[in-house]
Amino acid sequence: MAEQTTLWLSHHLAQKIREHGVETYPHECCGALLGRDTENAKLEPSRDVCSLFPLINRRDDSPRNRFSVTSEDVMAAEKAAREQGLDVVGWYHSHPDHPARPSEFDREHAWPWYSYIIVSVHKGVPEDMTSWRLNDDRAEFSSEGIEIRHHASL
Ligand SMILES: [Zn+2]
């Protein structure tokens, strides 16, 4: 079974994800999470998000309830991460007028290892924010804890 993981995020970045979801409402927003994994034998594994790389939702068939991350997006996000000495550790997107739970579409288009943040935006107002990781067998997501840091420096 997958171990419980924790994603660390500053208050500022959490706010930026919510704002991006409000900006693109009623369409989905999406972007990359840039950060690093902390491996410490004494502690449970944790993952720090240090910056964001917002993407443009290129789907014109159904922008309200799905987004596509293209291979160009992945390359651009990885380049931005490298320039900051970070890795792409996950992706975020919004669910306009839907709960912050992964859809079947999300599962089919997700990769294991990455963290997937979902923020629900109800009538233009951001609500729940959750994080998920796809299990190695790709059958379902496991919920991941989000810890918000309130101090400014990471
Ligand atoms: Zn989704």
Side-chain angles (χ1 to χ4, degrees):
M1 278 284 97
E3 57 202 317
Q4 173 68 31
T5 53
T6 305
L7 188 68
W8 289 87
L9 193 64
S10 71
H11 182 69
H12 173 70
L13 292 182
Q15 205 50 36
K16 273 171 80 170
I17 292 174
R18 292 189 184 99
E19 281 165 12
H20 194 190
V22 169
E23 222 172 89
T24 59
Y25 181 89
H27 296 167
E28 283 195 6
C29 74
C30 62
L33 308 172
L34 313 186
R36 58 173 75 93
D37 278 347
T38 307
E39 302 288 346
N40 181 329
K42 294 199 183 101
L43 301 169
E44 62 176 300
S46 69
R47 175 171 280 181
D48 277 307
V49 178
C50 306
S51 68
L52 303 177
F53 186 76
L55 296 169
I56 294 162
N57 190 346
R58 292 175 211 280
R59 285 194 80 110
D60 38 26
D61 55 340
S62 186
R64 285 181 71 105
N65 55 22
R66 53 193 55 178
F67 70 89
S68 285
V69 174
T70 65
S71 53
E72 286 82 10
D73 291 333
V74 174
M75 280 192 293
E78 281 174 349
K79 182 167 180 285
R82 265 199 311 278
E83 284 167 1
Q84 299 173 56
L86 302 169
D87 296 310
V88 176
V89 295
W91 308 90
Y92 70 87
H93 72 285
S94 62
H95 277 183
D97 299 316
H98 279 88
R101 247 180 285 118
S103 65
E104 190 55 22
F105 179 89
D106 291 338
R107 190 185 62 77
E108 282 166 11
H109 292 80
W111 302 283
W113 186 80
Y114 286 117
S115 295
Y116 287 88
I117 288 182
I118 301 176
V119 59
S120 70
V121 181
H122 182 66
K123 295 187 170 142
V125 178
E127 292 188 339
D128 296 341
M129 188 183 285
T130 55
S131 185
W132 308 81
R133 286 205 208 185
L134 188 65
N135 297 343
D136 288 335
D137 63 7
R138 305 187 66 146
E140 56 185 1
F141 280 96
S142 290
S143 140
E144 176 169 64
I146 299 184
E147 296 279 350
I148 306 281
R149 290 184 206 277
H150 284 272
H151 53 92
S153 61
L154 266 176

